[in-house]
Amino acid sequence: MALDQSFVGRSYPPTDAYEVGREKIREFAEAIGDANPAYTDPEAARALGHPDVIAPPTFPFAITFKAAGVVVQDPELGLDYSRVVHGDQKFAYTRPVRAGDRLTVTSTIEAVKSMAGNEILDVRGEVHDETGAHVVTAWTKLVARGADAQRDGGEA
Amino acid sequence: MAAGIAYDDVEVGTELPPQSFPVTRATLVRYAGASGDFNPIHWNEKFAREVGLPDVIAHGMFTMASAIRVVTDWAGDPAAVVEYGVRFTKPVVVPNDEKGTVVEVSAKVAAKLDDHQVRVDLVATCAGQKVLGMSRAVVRLA
């Protein structure tokens, strides 16, 4: 079933604030095996000019993808999530996410396409802090593989 | 956000120190917990095969997180990364043994931009296949 084109440009209301904790950043940095002290040691982060420990560049995805759930699971859009793989991912940063941030995400559907039997959905997540200042934008391309489409990469 | 590498000291073609990232099933379980991505294709072999995969595969976001370490370790301050994007071209298949697999990442400066920024192009391979495409970062140098 083709996705509804009228969803292009639709924005969803901002999420409740996600509070970024030092220990969550530490856990994430350890999970990716990254020993950069800017992620775990407030002194090291301050020496680089940051007010507290910062998060690795891909950390915001955990927040934006959760926020994109309202899009992915919107019954009116009609995306078959069991067939979805992650096609592309991009981030543009105004500043790194850091401990103490209270972040909200506003998700917008940028594009809905059908290609070679696949349904393609582009979602943009704008992340702002508690003062309303922009922190990072995440672009996520999701591909719902058609029943007959050949799997060639991507990841869910 | 001063970075350790000076803009004037790099040229188009400057290579960043390459790195290898081992990935085992334990790595994926840990990443699932930390990231909140519990999709069973990253830990359940039976489920992965049922949806047409050869075996359990790594989270694409884990591979993306590993690849940018080549840039952040080089730049010193991770905040030097102002843009980062990838395409997931092939899955990283992770066998159920202690060895797992390895993702190899190399990178070089592809363009010098305005405002002390450079574009770094990354290449990530696993078992001889490119696992990331269009993998690029914009980095602000000192």
Side-chain angles (χ1 to χ4, degrees), chain A residues 24 27-28 30-34 36 38-39 48 50 54 57-58 61-62 86-93 96 145 151-156, chain B residues 1 30-31 33-35 39 41-42 51 53 58-62 64-65 69 76-79 81-91:
Chain A
K24 186 64 199 179
E27 180 190 10
F28 187 86
E30 285 177 352
I32 61 172
D34 195 332
N36 193 315
Y39 303 144
L48 293 169
H50 307 297
I54 61 171
T58 61
F61 181 79
H86 197 175
D88 294 17
Q89 181 61 40
K90 185 181 167 187
F91 301 96
Y93 310 89
R145 293 173 290 138
R151 182 185 175 87
D152 186 30
E155 97 56 75
Chain B
M1 316 288 157
R30 179 178 265 226
Y31 184 79
S35 68
N39 189 323
I41 61 172
H42 305 305
V51 298
L53 293 165
H59 303 75
M61 289 307 298
F62 175 82
M64 186 176 186
R69 287 177 56 191
D77 184 355
V81 177
V82 294
E83 270 184 44
Y84 177 35
V86 306
R87 172 162 295 168
F88 301 107
T89 51
K90 291 277 180 196

Short mmCIF file of all heavy atoms in Angstrom, two decimals, chain A residues 24 27-28 30-34 36 38-39 48 50 54 57-58 61-62 86-93 96 145 151-156, chain B residues 1 30-31 33-35 39 41-42 51 53 58-62 64-65 69 76-79 81-91:
data_model
loop_
_atom_site.label_atom_id
_atom_site.label_comp_id
_atom_site.label_asym_id
_atom_site.label_seq_id
_atom_site.Cartn_x
_atom_site.Cartn_y
_atom_site.Cartn_z
N LYS A 24 23.97 8.49 31.92
CA LYS A 24 23.43 7.97 30.65
C LYS A 24 24.48 8.17 29.54
O LYS A 24 24.69 7.29 28.71
CB LYS A 24 22.12 8.67 30.28
CG LYS A 24 21.44 8.06 29.06
CD LYS A 24 21.00 6.62 29.33
CE LYS A 24 20.75 5.85 28.06
NZ LYS A 24 20.34 4.46 28.34
N GLU A 27 27.20 5.61 30.06
CA GLU A 27 26.75 4.28 29.63
C GLU A 27 26.82 4.17 28.10
O GLU A 27 27.26 3.16 27.55
CB GLU A 27 25.31 4.07 30.11
CG GLU A 27 24.71 2.73 29.74
CD GLU A 27 23.21 2.65 30.02
OE1 GLU A 27 22.58 3.68 30.34
OE2 GLU A 27 22.67 1.54 29.91
N PHE A 28 26.39 5.21 27.41
CA PHE A 28 26.40 5.21 25.94
C PHE A 28 27.83 5.18 25.42
O PHE A 28 28.16 4.40 24.51
CB PHE A 28 25.65 6.43 25.41
CG PHE A 28 25.46 6.42 23.92
CD1 PHE A 28 24.38 5.76 23.33
CD2 PHE A 28 26.39 7.04 23.08
CE1 PHE A 28 24.22 5.74 21.95
CE2 PHE A 28 26.23 7.02 21.70
CZ PHE A 28 25.15 6.37 21.14
N GLU A 30 30.48 4.06 26.89
CA GLU A 30 31.06 2.74 27.16
C GLU A 30 30.52 1.71 26.17
O GLU A 30 31.25 0.82 25.72
CB GLU A 30 30.78 2.30 28.61
CG GLU A 30 31.66 3.06 29.60
CD GLU A 30 31.36 2.71 31.06
OE1 GLU A 30 30.36 2.00 31.31
OE2 GLU A 30 32.12 3.18 31.93
N ALA A 31 29.25 1.83 25.81
CA ALA A 31 28.65 0.87 24.89
C ALA A 31 29.25 0.96 23.49
O ALA A 31 29.29 -0.01 22.75
CB ALA A 31 27.13 1.07 24.83
N ILE A 32 29.72 2.15 23.11
CA ILE A 32 30.37 2.27 21.80
C ILE A 32 31.90 2.16 21.95
O ILE A 32 32.64 2.33 20.98
CB ILE A 32 29.98 3.58 21.06
CG1 ILE A 32 30.39 4.83 21.85
CG2 ILE A 32 28.49 3.59 20.74
CD1 ILE A 32 30.20 6.14 21.07
N GLY A 33 32.35 1.87 23.18
CA GLY A 33 33.78 1.63 23.41
C GLY A 33 34.63 2.87 23.28
O GLY A 33 35.82 2.78 22.99
N ASP A 34 34.02 4.05 23.48
CA ASP A 34 34.75 5.31 23.26
C ASP A 34 35.21 5.90 24.60
O ASP A 34 34.39 6.32 25.40
CB ASP A 34 33.85 6.30 22.53
CG ASP A 34 34.62 7.47 21.95
OD1 ASP A 34 35.68 7.82 22.51
OD2 ASP A 34 34.17 8.04 20.95
N ASN A 36 36.91 8.63 25.15
CA ASN A 36 37.18 10.08 25.15
C ASN A 36 36.72 10.67 26.49
O ASN A 36 35.55 10.56 26.86
CB ASN A 36 36.43 10.74 23.98
CG ASN A 36 36.92 12.17 23.73
OD1 ASN A 36 37.10 12.94 24.67
ND2 ASN A 36 37.15 12.49 22.48
N ALA A 38 36.00 13.56 27.42
CA ALA A 38 34.98 14.62 27.34
C ALA A 38 33.58 14.05 27.60
O ALA A 38 32.65 14.79 27.93
CB ALA A 38 35.01 15.29 25.97
N TYR A 39 33.43 12.72 27.50
CA TYR A 39 32.13 12.07 27.70
C TYR A 39 31.90 11.66 29.15
O TYR A 39 30.77 11.35 29.53
CB TYR A 39 32.00 10.83 26.82
CG TYR A 39 32.19 11.07 25.34
CD1 TYR A 39 32.83 10.12 24.54
CD2 TYR A 39 31.72 12.23 24.73
CE1 TYR A 39 33.00 10.33 23.17
CE2 TYR A 39 31.89 12.45 23.37
CZ TYR A 39 32.54 11.49 22.60
OH TYR A 39 32.71 11.71 21.26
N LEU A 48 37.92 21.69 27.57
CA LEU A 48 37.63 21.92 26.15
C LEU A 48 36.62 23.06 25.96
O LEU A 48 36.22 23.36 24.84
CB LEU A 48 37.08 20.63 25.51
CG LEU A 48 38.04 19.45 25.40
CD1 LEU A 48 37.30 18.17 25.00
CD2 LEU A 48 39.16 19.74 24.39
N HIS A 50 33.50 23.19 27.56
CA HIS A 50 32.11 22.76 27.74
C HIS A 50 31.72 22.88 29.21
O HIS A 50 32.53 22.59 30.08
CB HIS A 50 31.92 21.31 27.28
CG HIS A 50 32.40 21.08 25.89
ND1 HIS A 50 31.84 21.71 24.80
CD2 HIS A 50 33.42 20.32 25.39
CE1 HIS A 50 32.48 21.33 23.70
NE2 HIS A 50 33.44 20.51 24.02
N ILE A 54 29.96 16.13 27.61
CA ILE A 54 29.17 16.16 26.38
C ILE A 54 28.90 14.73 25.93
O ILE A 54 29.53 13.78 26.41
CB ILE A 54 29.86 16.98 25.26
CG1 ILE A 54 31.21 16.36 24.88
CG2 ILE A 54 30.03 18.43 25.71
CD1 ILE A 54 31.83 17.00 23.62
N PRO A 57 28.65 12.16 19.20
CA PRO A 57 27.85 12.76 18.12
C PRO A 57 26.57 12.00 17.74
O PRO A 57 25.59 12.62 17.31
CB PRO A 57 28.83 12.78 16.94
CG PRO A 57 30.19 12.80 17.55
CD PRO A 57 30.08 12.02 18.82
N THR A 58 26.57 10.67 17.90
CA THR A 58 25.37 9.92 17.48
C THR A 58 24.37 9.73 18.62
O THR A 58 23.29 9.17 18.41
CB THR A 58 25.74 8.53 16.91
OG1 THR A 58 26.40 7.78 17.93
CG2 THR A 58 26.64 8.66 15.69
N PHE A 61 20.45 10.41 18.42
CA PHE A 61 19.54 9.53 17.70
C PHE A 61 18.58 8.80 18.64
O PHE A 61 17.40 8.59 18.29
CB PHE A 61 20.32 8.50 16.86
CG PHE A 61 19.42 7.59 16.07
CD1 PHE A 61 18.86 8.02 14.89
CD2 PHE A 61 19.13 6.31 16.53
CE1 PHE A 61 18.02 7.19 14.16
CE2 PHE A 61 18.29 5.48 15.81
CZ PHE A 61 17.73 5.92 14.62
N ALA A 62 19.09 8.43 19.81
CA ALA A 62 18.24 7.70 20.77
C ALA A 62 17.01 8.55 21.12
O ALA A 62 15.92 8.02 21.32
CB ALA A 62 19.04 7.36 22.02
N HIS A 86 16.73 1.09 8.36
CA HIS A 86 17.31 2.43 8.45
C HIS A 86 18.15 2.65 7.19
O HIS A 86 19.11 1.93 6.95
CB HIS A 86 18.18 2.48 9.71
CG HIS A 86 18.52 3.86 10.17
ND1 HIS A 86 19.21 4.08 11.34
CD2 HIS A 86 18.28 5.07 9.64
CE1 HIS A 86 19.38 5.38 11.51
NE2 HIS A 86 18.83 6.00 10.49
N GLY A 87 17.78 3.62 6.38
CA GLY A 87 18.50 3.85 5.12
C GLY A 87 19.66 4.83 5.26
O GLY A 87 20.82 4.49 5.01
N ASP A 88 19.35 6.05 5.68
CA ASP A 88 20.37 7.09 5.84
C ASP A 88 20.18 7.75 7.20
O ASP A 88 19.07 7.77 7.75
CB ASP A 88 20.20 8.24 4.83
CG ASP A 88 20.43 7.82 3.39
OD1 ASP A 88 20.41 6.62 3.10
OD2 ASP A 88 20.63 8.73 2.56
N GLN A 89 21.26 8.35 7.70
CA GLN A 89 21.18 9.13 8.93
C GLN A 89 22.13 10.31 8.83
O GLN A 89 23.27 10.15 8.39
CB GLN A 89 21.54 8.28 10.16
CG GLN A 89 21.44 9.01 11.47
CD GLN A 89 20.03 9.52 11.74
OE1 GLN A 89 19.05 8.82 11.47
NE2 GLN A 89 19.91 10.74 12.24
N LYS A 90 21.66 11.47 9.22
CA LYS A 90 22.52 12.65 9.20
C LYS A 90 22.22 13.54 10.41
O LYS A 90 21.07 13.59 10.86
CB LYS A 90 22.29 13.44 7.91
CG LYS A 90 23.23 14.62 7.73
CD LYS A 90 22.96 15.40 6.47
CE LYS A 90 23.71 16.71 6.52
NZ LYS A 90 23.36 17.60 5.41
N PHE A 91 23.26 14.21 10.90
CA PHE A 91 23.10 15.17 11.99
C PHE A 91 23.77 16.49 11.61
O PHE A 91 24.83 16.49 10.98
CB PHE A 91 23.80 14.68 13.27
CG PHE A 91 23.32 13.37 13.81
CD1 PHE A 91 24.00 12.19 13.50
CD2 PHE A 91 22.21 13.29 14.64
CE1 PHE A 91 23.57 10.96 14.01
CE2 PHE A 91 21.78 12.08 15.15
CZ PHE A 91 22.45 10.92 14.83
N ALA A 92 23.17 17.60 12.01
CA ALA A 92 23.82 18.91 11.92
C ALA A 92 23.73 19.54 13.31
O ALA A 92 22.63 19.70 13.86
CB ALA A 92 23.13 19.80 10.88
N TYR A 93 24.89 19.89 13.86
CA TYR A 93 24.97 20.33 15.26
C TYR A 93 25.17 21.83 15.38
O TYR A 93 26.05 22.39 14.71
CB TYR A 93 26.15 19.65 15.96
CG TYR A 93 26.20 18.15 15.78
CD1 TYR A 93 26.87 17.58 14.69
CD2 TYR A 93 25.58 17.30 16.68
CE1 TYR A 93 26.91 16.21 14.51
CE2 TYR A 93 25.61 15.93 16.51
CZ TYR A 93 26.29 15.38 15.42
OH TYR A 93 26.32 14.03 15.24
N PRO A 96 27.19 20.42 20.94
CA PRO A 96 26.97 19.03 21.38
C PRO A 96 25.90 18.96 22.46
O PRO A 96 25.72 19.92 23.22
CB PRO A 96 28.34 18.61 21.93
CG PRO A 96 29.05 19.88 22.25
CD PRO A 96 28.50 20.94 21.34
N ARG A 145 10.60 -2.08 3.16
CA ARG A 145 10.83 -2.95 2.01
C ARG A 145 9.51 -3.55 1.53
O ARG A 145 8.73 -4.06 2.31
CB ARG A 145 11.80 -4.07 2.39
CG ARG A 145 13.20 -3.57 2.67
CD ARG A 145 14.07 -4.68 3.20
NE ARG A 145 13.67 -5.08 4.54
CZ ARG A 145 13.60 -6.33 4.95
NH1 ARG A 145 13.86 -7.32 4.13
NH2 ARG A 145 13.25 -6.60 6.18
N ARG A 151 16.47 -7.43 -0.67
CA ARG A 151 17.18 -6.76 0.42
C ARG A 151 18.61 -6.49 -0.03
O ARG A 151 19.33 -7.37 -0.40
CB ARG A 151 17.21 -7.64 1.66
CG ARG A 151 17.90 -6.90 2.77
CD ARG A 151 18.10 -7.70 4.02
NE ARG A 151 18.90 -6.87 4.91
CZ ARG A 151 18.36 -5.99 5.73
NH1 ARG A 151 17.08 -5.84 5.79
NH2 ARG A 151 19.14 -5.26 6.50
N ASP A 152 18.99 -5.23 0.03
CA ASP A 152 20.36 -4.88 -0.34
C ASP A 152 20.86 -3.82 0.62
O ASP A 152 20.95 -2.65 0.29
CB ASP A 152 20.42 -4.39 -1.79
CG ASP A 152 21.86 -4.18 -2.23
OD1 ASP A 152 22.74 -4.88 -1.72
OD2 ASP A 152 22.08 -3.29 -3.08
N GLY A 153 21.18 -4.26 1.80
CA GLY A 153 21.72 -3.32 2.77
C GLY A 153 20.63 -2.67 3.59
O GLY A 153 19.52 -3.16 3.67
N GLY A 154 21.00 -1.59 4.22
CA GLY A 154 20.11 -0.98 5.17
C GLY A 154 20.15 -1.76 6.46
O GLY A 154 20.77 -2.81 6.54
N GLU A 155 19.54 -1.25 7.45
CA GLU A 155 19.54 -1.92 8.75
C GLU A 155 18.39 -1.38 9.53
O GLU A 155 17.99 -0.26 9.33
CB GLU A 155 20.90 -1.78 9.38
CG GLU A 155 21.24 -0.73 10.40
CD GLU A 155 20.40 -0.68 11.60
OE1 GLU A 155 20.57 -1.54 12.44
OE2 GLU A 155 19.60 0.24 11.72
N ALA A 156 17.82 -2.21 10.37
CA ALA A 156 16.62 -1.75 11.05
C ALA A 156 16.96 -1.04 12.34
O ALA A 156 17.98 -1.30 12.91
CB ALA A 156 15.72 -2.93 11.36
N MET B 1 35.19 26.08 21.07
CA MET B 1 35.34 24.64 20.81
C MET B 1 36.61 24.40 20.00
O MET B 1 36.58 24.01 18.85
CB MET B 1 34.14 24.09 20.02
CG MET B 1 32.77 24.57 20.49
SD MET B 1 32.29 23.86 22.05
CE MET B 1 31.10 25.06 22.61
N ARG B 30 25.08 -4.82 24.71
CA ARG B 30 25.39 -3.63 25.49
C ARG B 30 24.88 -2.37 24.77
O ARG B 30 24.30 -1.47 25.39
CB ARG B 30 26.90 -3.57 25.68
CG ARG B 30 27.36 -2.37 26.45
CD ARG B 30 28.86 -2.43 26.63
NE ARG B 30 29.17 -3.04 27.91
CZ ARG B 30 30.07 -2.53 28.76
NH1 ARG B 30 30.77 -1.48 28.45
NH2 ARG B 30 30.28 -3.10 29.90
N TYR B 31 25.08 -2.32 23.44
CA TYR B 31 24.62 -1.15 22.69
C TYR B 31 23.09 -1.06 22.71
O TYR B 31 22.52 0.03 22.80
CB TYR B 31 25.15 -1.15 21.25
CG TYR B 31 24.73 0.11 20.53
CD1 TYR B 31 25.41 1.32 20.74
CD2 TYR B 31 23.60 0.13 19.71
CE1 TYR B 31 24.99 2.50 20.14
CE2 TYR B 31 23.17 1.31 19.11
CZ TYR B 31 23.87 2.48 19.33
OH TYR B 31 23.44 3.66 18.74
N GLY B 33 21.10 -1.98 25.05
CA GLY B 33 20.69 -1.44 26.35
C GLY B 33 20.93 0.05 26.46
O GLY B 33 20.07 0.80 26.92
N ALA B 34 22.11 0.49 26.00
CA ALA B 34 22.47 1.91 26.16
C ALA B 34 21.66 2.81 25.23
O ALA B 34 21.37 3.95 25.57
CB ALA B 34 23.96 2.09 25.91
N SER B 35 21.32 2.29 24.05
CA SER B 35 20.64 3.13 23.05
C SER B 35 19.13 2.99 23.10
O SER B 35 18.41 3.84 22.56
CB SER B 35 21.11 2.74 21.64
OG SER B 35 20.63 1.43 21.32
N ASN B 39 15.52 -3.97 18.85
CA ASN B 39 15.09 -4.75 17.69
C ASN B 39 15.78 -6.11 17.73
O ASN B 39 17.02 -6.19 17.79
CB ASN B 39 15.46 -3.98 16.41
CG ASN B 39 14.85 -4.63 15.18
OD1 ASN B 39 14.76 -5.85 15.08
ND2 ASN B 39 14.43 -3.80 14.24
N ILE B 41 16.58 -8.25 15.59
CA ILE B 41 17.56 -8.60 14.56
C ILE B 41 19.00 -8.36 15.05
O ILE B 41 19.94 -8.83 14.43
CB ILE B 41 17.35 -7.83 13.23
CG1 ILE B 41 17.48 -6.32 13.43
CG2 ILE B 41 16.01 -8.18 12.60
CD1 ILE B 41 17.47 -5.53 12.14
N HIS B 42 19.14 -7.63 16.18
CA HIS B 42 20.47 -7.34 16.70
C HIS B 42 20.89 -8.29 17.82
O HIS B 42 21.97 -8.12 18.40
CB HIS B 42 20.54 -5.90 17.20
CG HIS B 42 20.15 -4.89 16.16
ND1 HIS B 42 20.75 -4.83 14.93
CD2 HIS B 42 19.21 -3.92 16.15
CE1 HIS B 42 20.20 -3.85 14.22
NE2 HIS B 42 19.25 -3.30 14.94
N VAL B 51 13.49 -12.97 9.04
CA VAL B 51 13.23 -11.78 8.24
C VAL B 51 14.23 -11.65 7.09
O VAL B 51 14.36 -10.59 6.48
CB VAL B 51 13.18 -10.48 9.07
CG1 VAL B 51 12.04 -10.54 10.09
CG2 VAL B 51 14.50 -10.19 9.78
N LEU B 53 17.66 -12.19 6.96
CA LEU B 53 19.06 -11.82 7.17
C LEU B 53 19.91 -13.09 7.32
O LEU B 53 19.40 -14.12 7.75
CB LEU B 53 19.18 -10.95 8.43
CG LEU B 53 18.52 -9.58 8.33
CD1 LEU B 53 18.35 -8.96 9.71
CD2 LEU B 53 19.31 -8.66 7.42
N ALA B 58 24.71 -5.98 13.27
CA ALA B 58 24.97 -4.87 14.19
C ALA B 58 23.96 -3.75 13.94
O ALA B 58 23.44 -3.59 12.83
CB ALA B 58 26.39 -4.34 14.00
N HIS B 59 23.70 -2.95 14.97
CA HIS B 59 22.91 -1.74 14.81
C HIS B 59 23.67 -0.83 13.84
O HIS B 59 24.87 -0.58 14.04
CB HIS B 59 22.76 -0.99 16.13
CG HIS B 59 22.16 -1.79 17.24
ND1 HIS B 59 22.83 -2.76 17.92
CD2 HIS B 59 20.93 -1.71 17.82
CE1 HIS B 59 22.05 -3.27 18.86
NE2 HIS B 59 20.89 -2.64 18.82
N GLY B 60 22.99 -0.31 12.84
CA GLY B 60 23.63 0.66 11.95
C GLY B 60 24.19 1.84 12.73
O GLY B 60 25.27 2.35 12.44
N MET B 61 23.44 2.25 13.77
CA MET B 61 23.88 3.39 14.58
C MET B 61 25.13 3.07 15.39
O MET B 61 25.89 3.97 15.75
CB MET B 61 22.75 3.88 15.50
CG MET B 61 21.61 4.57 14.77
SD MET B 61 22.12 5.93 13.69
CE MET B 61 22.87 7.05 14.87
N PHE B 62 25.36 1.78 15.67
CA PHE B 62 26.62 1.40 16.33
C PHE B 62 27.78 1.61 15.37
O PHE B 62 28.83 2.17 15.73
CB PHE B 62 26.58 -0.05 16.83
CG PHE B 62 27.89 -0.48 17.41
CD1 PHE B 62 28.22 -0.15 18.71
CD2 PHE B 62 28.83 -1.14 16.63
CE1 PHE B 62 29.46 -0.49 19.24
CE2 PHE B 62 30.08 -1.48 17.14
CZ PHE B 62 30.39 -1.17 18.45
N MET B 64 27.82 3.61 12.84
CA MET B 64 27.96 5.05 12.63
C MET B 64 28.73 5.69 13.79
O MET B 64 29.59 6.56 13.60
CB MET B 64 26.57 5.68 12.48
CG MET B 64 26.60 7.15 12.11
SD MET B 64 24.95 7.83 11.84
CE MET B 64 25.38 9.50 11.26
N ALA B 65 28.42 5.24 15.02
CA ALA B 65 29.10 5.76 16.21
C ALA B 65 30.59 5.39 16.20
O ALA B 65 31.44 6.19 16.59
CB ALA B 65 28.43 5.22 17.48
N ARG B 69 34.53 7.96 15.44
CA ARG B 69 35.65 8.02 16.40
C ARG B 69 36.97 8.32 15.71
O ARG B 69 37.87 8.91 16.31
CB ARG B 69 35.73 6.71 17.18
CG ARG B 69 34.61 6.58 18.19
CD ARG B 69 34.66 5.25 18.90
NE ARG B 69 35.95 5.04 19.54
CZ ARG B 69 36.33 3.86 20.04
NH1 ARG B 69 35.53 2.82 19.95
NH2 ARG B 69 37.51 3.74 20.62
N GLY B 76 40.30 15.80 18.55
CA GLY B 76 40.48 16.08 19.98
C GLY B 76 39.17 16.38 20.68
O GLY B 76 38.74 15.65 21.54
N ASP B 77 38.51 17.45 20.28
CA ASP B 77 37.22 17.81 20.87
C ASP B 77 36.10 17.27 19.98
O ASP B 77 35.98 17.68 18.83
CB ASP B 77 37.12 19.33 20.98
CG ASP B 77 35.84 19.78 21.67
OD1 ASP B 77 35.00 18.91 22.00
OD2 ASP B 77 35.70 20.99 21.89
N PRO B 78 35.28 16.35 20.51
CA PRO B 78 34.18 15.80 19.68
C PRO B 78 33.25 16.88 19.14
O PRO B 78 32.58 16.69 18.12
CB PRO B 78 33.44 14.88 20.65
CG PRO B 78 34.41 14.56 21.73
CD PRO B 78 35.31 15.77 21.86
N ALA B 79 33.21 18.05 19.84
CA ALA B 79 32.34 19.14 19.40
C ALA B 79 32.83 19.78 18.10
O ALA B 79 32.14 20.61 17.52
CB ALA B 79 32.24 20.19 20.49
N VAL B 81 32.91 18.29 15.43
CA VAL B 81 32.05 17.74 14.37
C VAL B 81 30.79 18.60 14.26
O VAL B 81 30.01 18.68 15.21
CB VAL B 81 31.67 16.27 14.68
CG1 VAL B 81 30.72 15.73 13.61
CG2 VAL B 81 32.91 15.40 14.78
N VAL B 82 30.61 19.26 13.12
CA VAL B 82 29.43 20.12 12.96
C VAL B 82 28.35 19.47 12.10
O VAL B 82 27.18 19.85 12.18
CB VAL B 82 29.79 21.52 12.41
CG1 VAL B 82 30.63 22.28 13.43
CG2 VAL B 82 30.51 21.46 11.10
N GLU B 83 28.75 18.48 11.30
CA GLU B 83 27.79 17.70 10.51
C GLU B 83 28.33 16.30 10.35
O GLU B 83 29.54 16.11 10.24
CB GLU B 83 27.64 18.29 9.09
CG GLU B 83 26.58 19.34 8.93
CD GLU B 83 26.46 19.75 7.46
OE1 GLU B 83 26.46 18.87 6.57
OE2 GLU B 83 26.41 20.96 7.22
N TYR B 84 27.42 15.33 10.31
CA TYR B 84 27.85 13.94 10.10
C TYR B 84 26.68 13.16 9.51
O TYR B 84 25.59 13.18 10.06
CB TYR B 84 28.28 13.33 11.44
CG TYR B 84 28.69 11.88 11.40
CD1 TYR B 84 29.37 11.34 10.30
CD2 TYR B 84 28.41 11.02 12.46
CE1 TYR B 84 29.76 10.01 10.27
CE2 TYR B 84 28.80 9.69 12.45
CZ TYR B 84 29.48 9.19 11.35
OH TYR B 84 29.86 7.86 11.32
N GLY B 85 26.94 12.53 8.39
CA GLY B 85 25.89 11.74 7.76
C GLY B 85 26.43 10.47 7.11
O GLY B 85 27.59 10.43 6.69
N VAL B 86 25.60 9.43 7.08
CA VAL B 86 25.98 8.17 6.44
C VAL B 86 24.76 7.55 5.75
O VAL B 86 23.62 7.89 6.05
CB VAL B 86 26.52 7.11 7.44
CG1 VAL B 86 27.67 7.65 8.27
CG2 VAL B 86 25.41 6.58 8.34
N ARG B 87 25.07 6.64 4.83
CA ARG B 87 24.06 5.75 4.26
C ARG B 87 24.43 4.33 4.68
O ARG B 87 25.61 3.96 4.61
CB ARG B 87 24.09 5.88 2.73
CG ARG B 87 23.22 4.88 2.00
CD ARG B 87 22.96 5.35 0.59
NE ARG B 87 22.18 6.58 0.64
CZ ARG B 87 21.98 7.38 -0.41
NH1 ARG B 87 22.51 7.08 -1.58
NH2 ARG B 87 21.25 8.47 -0.28
N PHE B 88 23.44 3.57 5.12
CA PHE B 88 23.70 2.19 5.52
C PHE B 88 23.57 1.30 4.28
O PHE B 88 22.46 1.07 3.80
CB PHE B 88 22.72 1.76 6.62
CG PHE B 88 22.82 2.64 7.84
CD1 PHE B 88 21.83 3.57 8.13
CD2 PHE B 88 23.92 2.58 8.68
CE1 PHE B 88 21.92 4.39 9.24
CE2 PHE B 88 24.02 3.41 9.79
CZ PHE B 88 23.02 4.32 10.07
N THR B 89 24.72 0.85 3.76
CA THR B 89 24.68 0.16 2.47
C THR B 89 24.65 -1.36 2.60
O THR B 89 24.03 -2.03 1.78
CB THR B 89 25.88 0.57 1.60
OG1 THR B 89 27.08 0.44 2.36
CG2 THR B 89 25.73 2.01 1.14
N LYS B 90 25.35 -1.90 3.59
CA LYS B 90 25.35 -3.35 3.82
C LYS B 90 25.32 -3.61 5.32
O LYS B 90 25.94 -2.87 6.08
CB LYS B 90 26.66 -3.98 3.28
CG LYS B 90 26.79 -3.98 1.77
CD LYS B 90 26.05 -5.16 1.16
CE LYS B 90 26.21 -5.12 -0.35
NZ LYS B 90 25.23 -5.99 -1.00
N PRO B 91 24.63 -4.66 5.73
CA PRO B 91 24.62 -4.95 7.17
C PRO B 91 25.96 -5.51 7.64
O PRO B 91 26.68 -6.16 6.89
CB PRO B 91 23.51 -5.99 7.32
CG PRO B 91 23.27 -6.55 5.97
CD PRO B 91 23.77 -5.57 4.96
#
